[in-house]
Amino acid sequence: MTQSPRVAAEQAPLDAADQADGQQVADTFARLAIELHDADGLVETVEAVAQFALQALNCSYAGIVLNVRGRRPEVAAVTDPVVAEAYEMQISSDNGPLVTSLRERTTVLIPDTSTEQRWPEWAAKVAALGVRSVLDVPLLTGGTRPQTVGVLGLYSPEPDAFGADDEAIAHILARHASVAVATARHEVSMAQAVDARKLVGQAMGILMERFDVDGDRAFAILKRYSQDTNTKLRDVAQQLIDTRKLPADGTHAGNTEPRPPA
């Protein structure tokens, strides 16, 4: 059976240049995987991703913005101040390709900021900074209901800098980054939870000794002060440990000595 030209082309061996390019990309991502595995915390993780973007893609600048629940997006890493300025303009106005990519979980490509019509005001300002091409790729986790961890932004002073190959590689990088960032955030949350439990335990010990109460009653005292003062339990415990006093509640304003159990 005669193969179609398309099938034959797909099955044809890569030429030497294509093989070399493919090997270079593979090597780059192998190094990225190792570096992300060895990264010590969230800051190091996002900085590693931004730096690898410069190596793997046709961009001059890169950056990462992270989604923070209940708060404005956080600029986590930039390779040049021009990226931070481009990000801040969008975050402060709540408008731009970054905001769209973050909210709609979609890739946004701007071939040329000098002719961009979707965000003309922002595009004109960015073009004045020397940025002509922009590619924003969402960092997604989850399967059927993906969550947006953040956005990887790629910038170039050249128009039409990002082709199909660049976009494909950016998506691979984004997948690596999504997993690494989610893992780093989970580790931070776990560490904070462990730290909070230790603080609460120390504070309970102080109350148990002072009032000769058991653990349940000591925890009830901490919880009551947390509720009365609208202060996180961890912060109430930290204050008691640091000052041997508790926050004053609305009824006993100015009285920071813990009340004995009822």
Side-chain angles (χ1 to χ4, degrees):
M1 180 180 295
T2 303
Q3 291 180 322
S4 69
R6 181 181 64 82
V7 173
E10 290 176 349
Q11 295 181 353
L14 296 174
D15 60 31
D18 288 337
Q19 289 179 0
D21 290 342
Q23 185 60 50
Q24 182 179 3
V25 171
D27 290 344
T28 298
F29 279 109
R31 293 197 306 274
L32 173 63
I34 293 173
E35 189 157 336
L36 291 182
H37 181 270
D38 293 339
D40 185 20
L42 182 59
V43 173
E44 291 78 5
T45 297
V46 293
E47 287 181 350
V49 172
Q51 290 298 325
F52 267 88
L54 301 182
Q55 301 178 37
L57 291 148
N58 185 32
C59 67
S60 298
Y61 322 118
I64 292 179
V65 167
L66 296 180
N67 194 20
V68 183
R69 184 179 301 176
R71 291 163 44 196
R72 55 182 270 163
E74 174 188 344
V75 179
V78 296
T79 62
D80 191 276
V82 72
V83 180
E85 190 167 350
Y87 279 157
E88 288 297 342
M89 285 189 290
Q90 298 177 78
I91 293 173
S92 60
S93 66
D94 197 31
N95 185 50
L98 161 68
V99 176
T100 297
S101 182
L102 199 61
R103 288 179 176 169
E104 300 182 7
R105 301 190 293 272
T106 186
T107 297
V108 178
L109 172 64
I110 298 179
D112 192 344
T113 54
S114 67
T115 59
E116 173 58 42
Q117 298 300 313
R118 290 168 292 183
W119 306 281
E121 184 176 352
W122 175 83
K125 293 178 180 178
V126 171
L129 295 175
V131 173
R132 295 290 297 276
S133 298
V134 179
L135 179 62
D136 282 322
V137 182
L139 309 181
L140 305 175
T141 59
T144 56
R145 300 181 63 183
Q147 300 295 316
T148 308
V149 175
V151 171
L152 168 65
L154 310 171
Y155 296 81
S156 173
E158 301 296 328
D160 300 306
F162 304 118
D165 289 344
D166 293 296
E167 191 168 336
I169 293 174
H171 278 281
I172 297 173
L173 179 56
R175 286 198 293 271
H176 279 276
S178 300
V179 174
V181 168
T183 300
R185 275 185 161 178
H186 178 70
E187 290 175 351
V188 169
S189 297
M190 291 296 291
Q192 291 175 341
V194 170
D195 183 51
R197 286 197 294 270
K198 289 180 178 178
L199 290 175
V200 171
Q202 292 178 37
M204 288 171 58
I206 294 172
L207 293 176
M208 291 166 69
E209 180 180 2
R210 181 177 300 184
F211 295 124
D212 191 24
V213 295
D214 60 17
D216 290 341
R217 293 301 300 143
F219 182 76
I221 294 173
L222 289 175
K223 186 177 180 181
R224 182 184 67 201
Y225 271 85
S226 174
Q227 294 172 341
D228 289 348
T229 61
N230 194 28
T231 305
K232 290 182 179 179
L233 187 63
R234 180 192 186 282
D235 295 335
V236 172
Q238 183 71 69
Q239 180 168 332
L240 177 60
I241 294 168
D242 293 342
T243 68
R244 292 304 192 266
K245 297 179 180 180
L246 286 165
D249 62 26
T251 305
H252 296 73
N255 177 16
T256 55
E257 285 297 320
R259 303 196 304 271

